[in-house]
Amino acid sequence: MHFAFTDEQEELRRTVRAFFDKTSSEPELRRLMDSPEGHDPGVWQRMGSEIGVQGLMVPEEFGGAGCGMVELGVVMEEAGRALLCAPLLSSAVMATTALLRCADPDARKRLLPRLAAGETVATFALTEDTARWDAEGVQLAAREDVDGGWRLSGNKNFVLDGAVADVVLTVARTPDGIGLFCVEGDAPGLVREALPTLDPTRRQARLEYREVPATRLRTPGNGWDLVSEVLDRTAAALAAEQVGVAERALDMAVEYAKTRHQFGRAIGSFQAVKHLLADVLLEVESARAAAYFALLSADGGGDDLPNVAGLAKAFCSDAAVLAASENIQVHGGIGFTWEHTAHLYLKRAKTSQLLLGDSAHHRELLAQRIGV
């Protein structure tokens, strides 16, 4: 297995980082945090048309680049570094993965070109008020009409970018098990409410379905199998984003330790600070190895993806929370202020740690799978 990045992947990283440096500066970040949409639709379209971020995993026949999860991980890592305010995880990862893995060519032909071009924002609605990430947590009911259409009744909660998505891929319970449904964002009966969240750089919403018309997507075999694969691949992508968050927090702490002087010397020269930063560096590099191992497993189609993706997500989330917390510690009092960006990295790290289930959840799943 080859663990070094190719020249093309390194060029992708440089291109994406340069784009995010221009479009996701700190003033722009704070502007978007206070905006109704939570992202800039114009920049979102440029991401699709200029650097093709949304279409990385989309096959060329649908206007994408046909790349794999490792390339997506490179982009997610850079997005974490920049605290990107955009529906990247919800649309380019979760919704796109669901469409790619479903058995509905009509839906792929209709939606994937729009997603790849940045013309459409989609999201994946799974969790409900119980905040469970398993099949038992799916209680939203799907009822088939006499004309062959479907109606959805119930609610979804903590849906990423759910208030602004043009398309909501909704997981619902049918008489024959779990199904996946396509719902238009302006469908009659769909009530969307933006939620106040700890992390203002990533929006969430509560969706209420009042007999909402929907189209059922064909899925291979058990519908929950597709949902599980979406969650596993999203966990690997989110792990890479957490690596970016952790790396940027470490860089901030190191830079401040070099420039902040106390008792006539840089605080980075004190042994306690050196040891702290060395411990964080070890965690960040270990997290990077874990994340890209999971991404390689996803590209290889191995049976071990559920295990390695969950462990990578757990480890990388813990590393990001550690790095962001220690960054604030190194900065001291200024790190706690709203004006400084340190707290934003901690908020992104903490909310991402809980997204898809916390670290204990993923370790418990692994224990159950191996019979511990």
Side-chain angles (χ1 to χ4, degrees), residues 29 122-123 133 154 228 236 329 335:
L29 176 68
T123 190
W133 294 92
S228 296
Q329 180 72 18

Side-chain angles (χ1 to χ4, degrees), residues 111-124:
L111 294 174
L112 285 177
R114 292 157 49 191
L115 293 179
E119 299 171 355
T120 296
V121 173
T123 190
F124 188 80

